[in-house]
Amino acid sequence: MKLFNFSTSILFQWVSYLSIYKIVNLIKLRISYLFSRFGFQPIWNIYPHFISIETTNFCNLHCPECPVGSRNESKTTKSSFDFALYKRLITELKPSLQHVMLYFQGEPFLNTHLMEFIRHAHDANIYTSVSTNGQFLNEKTAKEIVMSGLDKLIVSMDGTTQEVYQTYRAGGSLLKAIDGVKYLVEWKKELKSKTPMIEIQFLVLKTNEHQMKDMRELSKSMKVDRLSFKSAQLYDFENGNELLTTKKNFSRYMETKEGTFIIKGQQPNRCWRLWNGAVINVTGEVLPCCFDKGSEYSFGNINDRSFSECWQGSKAHDFRQRIITNRKQFDMCRNCW
């Protein structure tokens, strides 16, 4: 659920990145996807409309439902996406790419070259967005963000008091996140910039659902552009979960007559996301979507091949074919709505 509508200037900002080539590519993507629903995949030279880059694979917080935050750090090799590899990727995709999301897993601001990533995509006429826990937003970084050309910044803020906030954002400071957002708003005003569009994202959980009204008021007081209440993806939900919200409109799951839980809605044997976007993890593996947290279904690595060879190769084609044949054969798809 979204609150605070986009202004006309924000919509214009998005449209300003479009080109005839990008529009034609998107139309071809849509046609290819529609054909796939009948079991046919046209072999066309098309590219995703957006990509998501894993700028880092580690985080400063320990959120319980996050594979990065909850994993044992001693068993994790901390890595950041190579900037030279990123530039090569942008060069290949910039004619058709509309949006680069500089986040997947990990905290993006732990990548010391993040501002360079943003500026490089911005200079290539590509819309940019970043999602952060807000712990690295201070007066200095806020100014750098506004000056970088970043179009959208999502700040996770799952509570209006420290006690509630830290039940999920373990190790985080609510005050740091709030102050960081205020610095951003101030620098946008100081530099007369309409960007980045600032969105507060509130993950609705049983532990914080009683503060949704308070979050509306807090967001208004911070003068952000948007507030979104997001449903939580839970890994162990079949027999219930202590984080599962009681607010049905904000839950991905529903209770059965037997007392167990299942994901809401139907899961047809198709997925627009496999045509429209792609994820590249920190080591360069091209993944089908953001639900492939463990990089189990890689289409190939851009360190060894071009993105096109990975995304349009036999592994990608076979994976899409298996999705439109029987989507439920993939565990990651069973928790996707």
Side-chain angles (χ1 to χ4, degrees):
M1 179 179 179
K2 313 285 192 209
L3 300 177
F4 315 152
N5 292 328
F6 280 121
S7 67
T8 303
S9 60
I10 293 173
L11 178 60
F12 178 79
Q13 182 75 10
W14 171 265
V15 173
S16 68
Y17 287 100
L18 284 172
S19 67
I20 296 298
Y21 190 94
K22 291 178 182 180
I23 293 171
V24 170
N25 181 73
L26 184 58
I27 292 171
K28 290 169 70 176
L29 280 172
R30 177 58 71 173
I31 293 173
S32 177
Y33 172 66
L34 291 175
F35 273 129
S36 77
R37 296 176 64 172
F38 300 98
F40 176 64
Q41 292 189 60
I43 307 300
W44 287 342
N45 186 32
I46 50 179
Y47 295 88
H49 190 62
F50 74 89
I51 58 171
S52 177
I53 303 287
E54 186 176 38
T55 52
T56 62
N57 68 345
F58 56 102
C59 187
N60 54 312
L61 301 188
H62 304 282
C63 306
E65 289 294 322
C66 174
V68 172
S70 60
R71 74 171 53 144
N72 186 333
E73 289 191 4
S74 64
K75 297 181 180 179
T76 304
T77 301
K78 296 180 179 180
S79 302
S80 294
F81 202 94
D82 181 70
F83 185 55
L85 182 63
Y86 172 77
K87 289 195 293 184
R88 196 178 80 197
L89 176 66
I90 293 300
T91 297
E92 180 183 357
L93 295 182
K94 68 179 180 180
S96 57
L97 194 62
Q98 173 72 5
H99 184 186
V100 57
M101 303 160 65
L102 292 167
Y103 59 95
F104 171 35
Q105 301 187 95
E107 167 53 46
F109 281 91
L110 287 170
N111 186 316
T112 56
H113 297 286
L114 182 62
M115 295 303 141
E116 295 174 65
F117 277 68
I118 296 168
R119 284 191 291 268
H120 188 74
H122 179 76
D123 291 343
N125 198 41
I126 300 170
Y127 186 95
T128 55
S129 63
V130 171
S131 180
T132 177
N133 57 40
Q135 299 303 292
F136 298 97
L137 300 179
N138 52 44
E139 187 171 11
K140 180 176 180 292
T141 56
K143 182 180 180 180
E144 290 176 347
I145 290 167
V146 176
M147 294 181 68
S148 71
L150 180 68
D151 294 288
K152 179 179 178 180
L153 184 69
I154 302 168
V155 183
S156 297
M157 204 176 290
D158 310 312
T160 58
T161 62
Q162 178 62 27
E163 181 183 10
V164 170
Y165 172 84
Q166 68 186 7
T167 58
Y168 190 77
R169 299 290 162 183
S173 166
L174 175 62
L175 184 59
K176 274 187 178 180
I178 292 175
D179 285 346
V181 170
K182 289 180 178 178
Y183 282 130
L184 279 165
V185 172
E186 290 172 3
W187 274 115
K188 283 177 65 177
K189 183 178 180 181
E190 177 72 21
L191 298 172
K192 296 180 173 57
S193 176
K194 296 183 183 301
T195 58
M197 187 276 281
I198 305 169
E199 176 178 331
I200 300 298
Q201 190 175 90
F202 185 101
L203 197 62
V204 181
L205 307 162
K206 190 173 184 179
T207 53
N208 67 6
E209 58 187 23
H210 61 288
Q211 291 190 338
M212 293 174 69
K213 182 178 179 181
D214 295 334
M215 180 51 74
R216 289 185 177 95
E217 295 304 315
L218 177 60
S219 296
K220 288 179 181 178
S221 71
M222 290 190 292
K223 300 180 181 180
V224 299
D225 300 290
R226 190 179 231 196
L227 165 64
S228 65
F229 291 116
K230 184 180 179 182
S231 63
Q233 178 193 354
L234 305 174
Y235 287 94
D236 295 314
F237 64 86
E238 289 86 354
N239 296 310
N241 188 302
E242 61 182 8
L243 293 174
L244 184 60
T245 180
T246 62
K247 294 186 178 296
K248 295 181 180 179
N249 289 343
F250 295 97
S251 176
R252 300 188 184 201
Y253 313 99
M254 59 183 292
E255 190 171 6
T256 66
K257 294 179 180 179
E258 292 75 25
T260 58
F261 289 83
I262 58 173
I263 197 162
K264 287 180 180 178
Q266 300 295 318
Q267 289 184 304
N269 292 326
R270 58 180 183 271
C271 183
W272 167 234
R273 194 71 178 255
L274 291 180
W275 273 256
N276 193 36
V279 174
I280 300 96
N281 76 6
V282 73
T283 62
E285 300 289 341
V286 178
L287 310 178
C289 75
C290 60
F291 274 82
D292 190 6
K293 307 293 188 185
S295 303
E296 298 178 57
Y297 304 103
S298 172
F299 297 159
N301 195 301
I302 59 172
N303 281 288
D304 308 317
R305 308 163 66 191
S306 68
F307 176 86
S308 176
E309 289 175 308
C310 298
W311 200 68
Q312 299 178 25
S314 59
K315 284 186 177 180
H317 184 276
D318 292 346
F319 186 87
R320 295 186 185 103
Q321 191 65 45
R322 291 170 69 188
I323 284 287
I324 61 181
T325 302
N326 179 17
R327 179 180 174 184
K328 291 183 179 179
Q329 67 183 290
F330 299 104
D331 286 339
M332 71 176 190
C333 294
R334 294 174 190 162
N335 203 1
C336 174
W337 70 332

